[in-house]
Amino acid sequence: MLITHDTRCALDLVVDLVNTAPEGDEADQLPDVAALDEFARGHDLSDVGVLSAFDLAAVRKIRGRFAAVFAAPDARTAAGLINELVAAAGTTPRLTDHDGYDWHVHYFAPGASVADHMAADCGMALAFFVVAGEQERLRRCEAPDCRRTFVDLSRNRSRRYCDSRTCGNRLHVAAYRARRKEATG
């Protein structure tokens, strides 16, 4: 599956957005407008003006809807959720070249809110996976104490953890210790 630079940026954005949601004892990582502004700038979102509490509420709402896409049991369910997100955003595809980037497609309408911008661009990036029959690559970490989202871009669709250095390594060490304890005990 060919993933363009824009699609990859949108995938990184949607994964990071979903992972800002409070989980268990963790606090919301988008607690205020300043955090949203920092998040948007950290992801180089273009055409983002001055953000408000309205923008924060709207982004939190689509964040939950994107989380549902990652939890969708099948492509039909994911497609329905993505269609709703993209339609509500007023998607307006247009070619653009800006800020040193070659020609690429923006799916959000000029002057769109930050939430509509995210819903349109990220929704389309996720739509490409459903269209390609790759919806199962939109995953949640399999570590029992972690439910972070990620996109499995491995060749054989074998990635199980959001980060092999943290969740994956922690579980492998625990399994190793359990095997050692069983062998000696």
Side-chain angles (χ1 to χ4, degrees):
M1 177 174 181
L2 175 66
I3 300 175
T4 65
H5 172 75
D6 285 358
T7 301
R8 180 60 193 252
C9 289
L11 291 172
D12 290 344
L13 171 65
V14 72
V15 164
D16 289 348
L17 177 63
V18 172
N19 289 335
T20 64
E23 187 84 29
D25 294 337
E26 292 180 20
D28 192 323
Q29 293 177 34
L30 288 178
D32 53 34
V33 175
L36 175 59
D37 186 62
E38 184 177 326
F39 181 86
R41 297 201 189 292
H43 283 278
D44 294 326
L45 287 180
S46 56
D47 299 331
V48 174
V50 177
L51 300 175
S52 67
F54 176 81
D55 292 308
L56 180 62
V59 167
R60 285 178 174 167
K61 181 178 178 182
I62 65 161
R63 174 179 68 184
R65 296 176 77 194
F66 277 126
V69 172
F70 279 85
D74 54 51
R76 183 165 305 285
T77 304
L81 294 164
I82 293 167
N83 283 340
E84 290 173 10
L85 277 160
V86 170
T91 306
T92 308
R94 61 191 163 93
L95 286 168
T96 184
D97 65 338
H98 62 87
D99 299 329
Y101 294 107
D102 204 359
W103 289 105
H104 58 283
V105 180
H106 279 185
Y107 294 97
F108 61 94
S113 70
V114 68
D116 285 347
H117 178 151
M118 290 179 184
D121 279 357
C122 296
M124 290 304 300
L126 296 176
F128 296 143
F129 276 78
V130 174
V131 167
E134 301 285 351
Q135 183 257 337
E136 73 275 0
R137 290 183 181 269
L138 309 177
R139 298 193 174 162
R140 290 262 185 191
C141 184
E142 291 182 19
D145 58 341
C146 179
R147 298 302 296 156
R148 293 175 61 85
T149 59
F150 66 94
V151 177
D152 179 3
L153 297 176
S154 67
R155 279 184 202 227
N156 61 357
R157 299 174 188 91
S158 62
R159 187 171 162 197
R160 297 174 50 206
Y161 307 110
C162 63
D163 187 344
S164 61
R165 290 182 302 256
T166 55
C167 291
N169 190 47
R170 187 175 63 247
L171 289 176
H172 289 116
V173 168
Y176 170 77
R177 289 181 180 158
R179 285 191 307 272
R180 295 266 324 228
K181 184 177 180 179
E182 186 177 300
T184 60

